Coordinates of all heavy atoms in Angstrom, one line a residue:
T13 N 0.1 17.2 18.9 CA -1.4 17.0 18.8 C -1.8 17.0 17.4 O -2.8 16.3 17.0 CB -2.1 18.1 19.6 OG1 -1.6 18.2 21.0 CG2 -3.6 18.0 19.6
I14 N -1.1 17.7 16.6 CA -1.5 17.8 15.1 C -0.9 16.8 14.3 O -1.5 16.3 13.3 CB -1.1 19.3 14.6 CG1 -1.8 20.4 15.4 CG2 -1.5 19.4 13.1 CD1 -3.3 20.4 15.3
Y15 N 0.3 16.4 14.6 CA 1.0 15.4 13.7 C 1.2 14.1 14.4 O 1.7 14.1 15.6 CB 2.4 16.0 13.3 CG 2.2 17.1 12.4 CD1 2.3 18.5 12.8 CD2 2.0 17.0 11.0 CE1 2.1 19.6 12.0 CE2 1.9 18.1 10.2 CZ 1.9 19.4 10.6 OH 1.7 20.4 9.8
H16 N 0.8 13.0 13.8 CA 0.8 11.7 14.4 C 1.9 10.8 13.7 O 1.9 10.7 12.5 CB -0.5 11.0 14.2 CG -0.6 9.6 14.8 ND1 -0.7 9.4 16.2 CD2 -0.5 8.4 14.2 CE1 -0.7 8.1 16.4 NE2 -0.6 7.5 15.3
K17 N 2.8 10.2 14.5 CA 3.8 9.3 14.0 C 3.2 8.0 13.6 O 2.5 7.4 14.4 CB 4.9 9.1 15.0 CG 6.1 8.3 14.6 CD 7.1 8.1 15.6 CE 8.2 7.2 15.2 NZ 9.3 7.0 16.2
L18 N 3.5 7.6 12.4 CA 2.9 6.3 11.9 C 3.5 5.1 12.6 O 4.7 5.1 12.8 CB 3.1 6.2 10.4 CG 2.3 7.1 9.5 CD1 2.8 7.2 8.1 CD2 0.8 6.6 9.5
E19 N 2.7 4.2 13.0 CA 3.1 3.0 13.8 C 3.9 2.1 12.8 O 3.6 1.9 11.6 CB 1.9 2.3 14.3 CG 1.2 3.0 15.5 CD 0.3 4.1 15.0 OE1 0.1 4.3 13.9 OE2 -0.1 4.9 16.0
A20 N 4.9 1.4 13.4 CA 5.7 0.4 12.6 C 4.8 -0.8 12.3 O 3.9 -1.1 13.1 CB 6.9 -0.1 13.4
I21 N 5.0 -1.4 11.1 CA 4.2 -2.6 10.8 C 4.8 -3.9 11.3 O 6.1 -4.1 11.0 CB 4.1 -2.6 9.2 CG1 3.5 -1.3 8.7 CG2 3.2 -3.8 8.9 CD1 2.2 -1.0 9.2
E22 N 4.2 -4.7 12.0 CA 4.7 -5.9 12.5 C 4.8 -7.0 11.4 O 4.0 -6.9 10.5 CB 3.9 -6.4 13.7 CG 3.9 -5.5 14.9 CD 3.0 -6.1 16.1 OE1 2.9 -7.3 16.1 OE2 2.6 -5.3 16.9
K23 N 5.7 -7.8 11.6 CA 5.9 -8.8 10.6 C 4.7 -9.7 10.3 O 4.4 -10.0 9.1 CB 7.1 -9.8 11.0 CG 7.6 -10.7 9.9 CD 8.8 -11.5 10.4 CE 9.3 -12.5 9.2 NZ 10.5 -13.2 9.7
K24 N 3.9 -10.0 11.3 CA 2.7 -10.8 11.1 C 1.7 -10.0 10.3 O 0.7 -10.6 9.8 CB 2.1 -11.2 12.5 CG 1.6 -10.0 13.3 CD 1.0 -10.5 14.7 CE 0.5 -9.3 15.5 NZ -0.6 -8.5 14.8
D25 N 1.8 -8.7 10.2 CA 0.9 -7.9 9.4 C 1.3 -7.6 8.1 O 0.8 -6.6 7.4 CB 0.5 -6.7 10.2 CG -0.2 -7.0 11.6 OD1 -1.0 -7.8 11.5 OD2 0.1 -6.3 12.6
I26 N 2.3 -8.3 7.5 CA 2.7 -8.1 6.2 C 2.3 -9.2 5.3 O 2.5 -10.4 5.7 CB 4.3 -8.0 6.1 CG1 4.8 -6.8 6.9 CG2 4.8 -7.9 4.7 CD1 6.3 -6.7 7.1
I27 N 1.5 -8.9 4.3 CA 0.8 -9.9 3.5 C 1.3 -9.9 2.0 O 1.4 -8.8 1.5 CB -0.7 -9.6 3.5 CG1 -1.2 -9.7 5.0 CG2 -1.5 -10.6 2.7 CD1 -2.6 -9.1 5.2
E28 N 1.5 -11.0 1.5 CA 1.8 -11.1 0.0 C 0.4 -11.2 -0.6 O -0.3 -12.2 -0.4 CB 2.7 -12.2 -0.3 CG 4.1 -12.0 0.1 CD 5.1 -13.0 -0.4 OE1 4.7 -14.0 -1.1 OE2 6.3 -12.8 -0.3
W29 N 0.1 -10.3 -1.5 CA -1.2 -10.2 -2.2 C -1.1 -10.5 -3.7 O -0.6 -9.7 -4.4 CB -1.8 -8.9 -1.9 CG -3.3 -8.8 -2.3 CD1 -3.9 -8.3 -3.4 CD2 -4.4 -9.1 -1.4 NE1 -5.2 -8.4 -3.3 CE2 -5.6 -8.9 -2.1 CE3 -4.4 -9.6 -0.1 CZ2 -6.9 -9.1 -1.5 CZ3 -5.7 -9.9 0.5 CH2 -6.9 -9.6 -0.3
N30 N -1.4 -11.8 -4.0 CA -1.4 -12.2 -5.5 C -2.5 -11.5 -6.2 O -3.6 -11.5 -5.8 CB -1.4 -13.7 -5.6 CG -0.2 -14.3 -5.0 OD1 0.9 -13.9 -5.0 ND2 -0.5 -15.5 -4.4
Y31 N -2.1 -11.0 -7.4 CA -3.1 -10.4 -8.2 C -2.8 -10.5 -9.7 O -1.6 -10.7 -10.1 CB -3.3 -9.0 -7.9 CG -2.3 -8.0 -8.4 CD1 -2.6 -7.0 -9.4 CD2 -1.0 -8.0 -7.9 CE1 -1.6 -6.2 -9.8 CE2 0.0 -7.1 -8.3 CZ -0.4 -6.2 -9.3 OH 0.6 -5.4 -9.8
K32 N -3.8 -10.4 -10.5 CA -3.5 -10.4 -12.0 C -3.5 -8.9 -12.5 O -4.4 -8.1 -12.2 CB -4.7 -11.1 -12.7 CG -4.4 -11.2 -14.2 CD -5.6 -12.0 -14.9 CE -5.3 -12.1 -16.4 NZ -6.4 -12.9 -17.0
K33 N -2.3 -8.5 -13.1 CA -2.2 -7.2 -13.5 C -3.2 -6.8 -14.5 O -3.7 -7.6 -15.4 CB -0.8 -7.0 -14.2 CG 0.4 -6.7 -13.3 CD 1.6 -6.4 -14.0 CE 2.8 -6.1 -13.1 NZ 4.0 -5.7 -13.9
S34 N -3.7 -5.6 -14.4 CA -4.6 -5.0 -15.4 C -3.9 -3.9 -16.1 O -2.9 -3.4 -15.7 CB -5.9 -4.5 -14.8 OG -5.7 -3.5 -13.8
L35 N -4.5 -3.4 -17.3 CA -3.8 -2.5 -18.2 C -3.4 -1.2 -17.4 O -2.3 -0.7 -17.7 CB -4.8 -2.2 -19.3 CG -4.2 -1.3 -20.4 CD1 -3.1 -1.9 -21.1 CD2 -5.4 -0.9 -21.4
L36 N -4.2 -0.7 -16.6 CA -3.9 0.7 -16.0 C -3.4 0.7 -14.6 O -3.3 1.7 -14.0 CB -5.3 1.5 -16.0 CG -5.9 1.7 -17.4 CD1 -7.1 2.6 -17.3 CD2 -4.9 2.4 -18.4
N37 N -3.1 -0.5 -14.0 CA -2.6 -0.6 -12.7 C -1.4 0.3 -12.3 O -1.4 1.0 -11.3 CB -2.3 -2.0 -12.3 CG -3.4 -2.8 -11.7 OD1 -4.5 -2.3 -11.7 ND2 -3.2 -4.0 -11.3
Q38 N -0.5 0.3 -13.2 CA 0.8 1.1 -12.9 C 0.9 2.3 -13.9 O 2.0 2.8 -14.1 CB 2.0 0.2 -13.2 CG 2.0 -1.1 -12.3 CD 2.1 -0.9 -10.8 OE1 2.6 0.2 -10.4 NE2 1.5 -1.8 -10.0
Y39 N -0.2 2.7 -14.5 CA -0.1 3.7 -15.5 C 0.3 5.1 -14.9 O 0.9 5.9 -15.5 CB -1.4 3.9 -16.3 CG -1.4 4.8 -17.5 CD1 -0.6 4.5 -18.5 CD2 -2.0 6.0 -17.5 CE1 -0.4 5.4 -19.6 CE2 -2.0 6.9 -18.5 CZ -1.1 6.6 -19.6 OH -1.0 7.5 -20.6
N40 N -0.1 5.4 -13.7 CA 0.3 6.6 -13.1 C 0.3 6.4 -11.6 O -0.2 5.4 -11.0 CB -0.7 7.8 -13.4 CG -2.0 7.7 -12.9 OD1 -2.2 7.8 -11.6 ND2 -3.0 7.5 -13.8
D41 N 1.0 7.3 -10.9 CA 1.2 7.2 -9.5 C 0.3 8.2 -8.7 O 0.6 8.5 -7.5 CB 2.7 7.5 -9.1 CG 3.6 6.5 -9.6 OD1 3.2 5.3 -9.8 OD2 4.8 6.8 -9.8
S42 N -0.7 8.6 -9.2 CA -1.6 9.5 -8.5 C -2.3 8.9 -7.3 O -2.5 7.7 -7.3 CB -2.7 10.1 -9.5 OG -3.7 9.0 -9.8
E43 N -2.7 9.7 -6.3 CA -3.4 9.1 -5.2 C -4.7 8.4 -5.6 O -5.1 7.4 -5.1 CB -3.6 10.2 -4.2 CG -2.3 10.7 -3.5 CD -2.5 12.1 -2.9 OE1 -3.7 12.6 -2.8 OE2 -1.5 12.6 -2.3
S44 N -5.4 9.0 -6.6 CA -6.6 8.4 -7.1 C -6.4 7.0 -7.6 O -7.1 6.1 -7.4 CB -7.3 9.3 -8.1 OG -8.5 8.8 -8.6

């Protein structure tokens, strides 16, 4: 009841997302 198993991602729901890198995109791995 407390812990939920994450659903598997179907192939149709995997998207390649093109973007232009910005200076701080990969600067840290914080959740924020």
Side-chain angles (χ1 to χ4, degrees):
T13 303
I14 299 295
Y15 293 93
H16 179 79
K17 183 180 179 181
L18 287 163
E19 289 76 10
I21 308 299
E22 296 184 24
K23 189 173 182 180
K24 67 179 178 63
D25 294 321
I26 299 175
I27 300 166
E28 289 190 352
W29 193 263
N30 293 325
Y31 78 110
K32 184 177 180 180
K33 274 187 177 180
S34 61
L35 183 63
L36 300 181
N37 269 5
Q38 307 292 336
Y39 186 65
N40 68 71
D41 292 335
S42 69
E43 293 164 1
S44 178

